[in-house]
Amino acid sequence: MRQTPSQTAGPFLHIGMMPDTAPLALARPPGEAITLRGVILDADSAPVTDALIEVWHPESGWARGATDGQGGWRLAVTRPASAPFVSLWIIARGINTPLSTRLYFPDADWQDDPAMALIPPPRRRTLVALRGADGAYRLDIHLGGEAETVFFDI
Amino acid sequence: MTPLDRTRHPPALTPGYFSSVTRAPREGLIALDPGEAGMTGPVFGSQAIGPLDDDLIRNAALPGEQAIGPRILVHGRVLDESGRGVPGALLEIWQANAGGRYRHARDGYPAPLDPNFSGFGRVLTGEDGGYRFDTVMPGAYPFPNGPNAWRPAHIHFSVFGLAFAQRLVTQMYFEGDPMIARCPIVATLPTVQAVEALTARYDPARDRPMDARAYRFDIVLRGRLATPMEP
Ligand SMILES: [Fe+2]
């Protein structure tokens, strides 16, 4: 059987995926609680205000969030003990098939991760978060343009 | 995990769908083995499902009232590529009301809201991968994409299978709708077979007589790679 094709989530994904009444949630696994945040920008550096982002790693648990009026997102998870990254999954109006990327922790051995070896060196930094004064790990995601984020085919 | 079949899914850049132009990465994707993070996934059990989540006709209605519109039920199976049912898959559903209006702050289409309809639903597949929900037929609506663009009647689906690499977001269309062939978002699909795969079939054998018409929509997720034969 052939895979069911993807279609964009459109601009109203919040109705099904971020309902106020019963948000979908999973308990956070035990471990170091961390906050991930950033903005999502399009190829013209305009904020993407109708995106949804999900984070997943077997040790971090799962969380999702929608971008706000400035394209900002924020997610609370557990820091994986044995991996230098978590996986990010992004959908929005105009994204026909979901985009997969990773957030690497700047204070982990991200240089040695096998996936990094597949990325041209100048682009590797697009996946490495910065640690803000608030302790959150910040990664801005560029869907296009000069600073385009590396996306994976997984 | 079998790879994402790029001949089946729309490419990122589809200029006929204007919103894709500034949101499509131009660099090639980096091919990656899904690894541990891709082969596992969040598991949502029945506690994620409210008692009326599979009944969009009633789940946002005032006591004793129901949503307005042609009454339908949508059913099918969630399968992997080898045809095995995927039990415990979570489907998140959202749609416009019968007039084509979403209950959303950013939807300004003048068709009225239905006070008894939110357009939200959720359902978990059973042991054989089967699912069913009740709703009203959504209306077509216009969207900004050139002088005159309309979406065919459709229901949005977000699917969690058993692995993160099985995550799917798509839309279901209705057999016989002349708007399907005119829609710039449908036109992002690479083949007519892909459009057919998103088109639910009228299924009179599953109608609820004097109540609701049935549509069938099966969903095929990426599968596990064939395991080698035992020696
Ligand atoms: Fe829609």
Side-chain angles (χ1 to χ4, degrees), chain B residues 102 141 151 154 156:
Chain B
Y102 283 95
Y141 61 84
R151 299 304 328 282
H154 63 278
H156 294 265

Side-chain angles (χ1 to χ4, degrees), chain B residues 61-154:
Chain B
L62 297 165
E65 301 200 28
Q66 297 186 29
I68 290 173
R71 301 159 73 83
I72 60 170
L73 66 89
V74 178
H75 77 100
R77 288 180 76 203
V78 177
L79 307 158
D80 68 18
E81 286 173 273
S82 60
R84 283 177 296 198
V86 180
L90 177 71
L91 278 56
E92 300 173 292
I93 302 147
W94 68 103
Q95 65 167 88
N97 70 21
R101 175 81 181 270
Y102 283 95
R103 184 174 289 282
H104 193 286
R106 294 183 201 158
D107 188 1
Y109 185 41
L113 288 169
D114 176 349
N116 293 304
F117 186 77
S118 73
F120 163 77
R122 218 180 258 165
V123 61
L124 209 57
T125 60
E127 281 304 311
D128 62 347
Y131 75 90
R132 192 197 72 217
F133 61 91
D134 293 300
T135 189
V136 294
M137 178 76 85
Y141 61 84
F143 74 113
N145 196 87
N148 180 36
W150 292 78
R151 299 304 328 282
H154 63 278

